[in-house]
Amino acid sequence: MSSIPLKNQTAILTGGAAGLGLALAKRLVDVGVNTCLFDTHQGNLENAKKALGDLCSIAVVDVTDVDATTKEVDAIAARFGSIHMLVNCAGITGKTNLKSHEVDPKDFDRVLAINVRGTLLMCQAVLPHMLKSNYGRILNIASIAGKEGNAGM
């Protein structure tokens, strides 16, 4: 995975309760990383915690909420002493199979809030901790649909 020893480092994964986020969390836990999953789906988070074990912690966090993201990130930094990695994996597609002129602006705003604002807020929350320790890695994951687009999306 890396030439840098990852054991005992701390990572936060948004959208970590399922899909790609959960798969990445499993890989990090397997190499000894304290892995903190942020998601809005309590049940999926609890299932992930059971599957990943003691190196996994979970928090119900809406990445579009500046106060919630800051509070949870600060709590993790206090618990583990630092945050070494952030993986922004939370993302949604919104409603599909619509013509552009039929897209509800509220749905469009929700997609932007999670996919763009959430990424920004999480980076803003972890960066002070990373700068303090003079170390950190951030990985922002997006769907190819954001670059290439798909019919009806």
Side-chain angles (χ1 to χ4, degrees), residues 21-96:
L22 181 57
L24 292 169
K26 182 180 180 340
R27 179 67 173 118
L28 289 172
V29 165
D30 286 348
V31 296
V33 175
N34 296 305
T35 305
C36 308
L37 306 182
F38 286 11
D39 208 297
T40 58
H41 302 282
Q42 178 75 39
N44 289 350
L45 280 168
E46 290 170 3
N47 291 337
K49 169 73 175 138
K50 286 177 195 170
L52 296 177
D54 291 339
L55 287 179
C56 176
S57 60
I58 59 173
V60 175
V61 178
D62 177 351
V63 296
T64 68
D65 182 333
V66 67
D67 293 330
T69 55
T70 302
K71 176 184 169 195
E72 291 297 332
V73 166
D74 290 349
I76 290 166
R79 178 177 171 197
F80 292 102
S82 187
I83 297 169
H84 303 94
M85 293 172 258
L86 167 64
V87 180
N88 279 311
C89 205
I92 62 169
T93 58
K95 294 178 183 172
T96 60

Side-chain angles (χ1 to χ4, degrees), residues 14 38 61-66 69 73 86-91 109-126 138 140:
T14 68
F38 286 11
V61 178
D62 177 351
V63 296
T64 68
D65 182 333
V66 67
T69 55
V73 166
L86 167 64
V87 180
N88 279 311
C89 205
D109 290 345
R110 184 171 165 262
V111 171
L112 287 179
I114 293 169
N115 297 0
V116 180
R117 177 184 165 90
T119 298
L120 172 69
L121 293 180
M122 287 301 302
C123 289
Q124 288 178 329
V126 301
I138 297 174
N140 296 320

Side-chain angles (χ1 to χ4, degrees), residues 118-137:
T119 298
L120 172 69
L121 293 180
M122 287 301 302
C123 289
Q124 288 178 329
V126 301
L127 279 168
H129 300 286
M130 290 178 172
L131 290 168
K132 182 178 176 184
S133 64
N134 200 32
Y135 180 85
R137 301 292 184 261

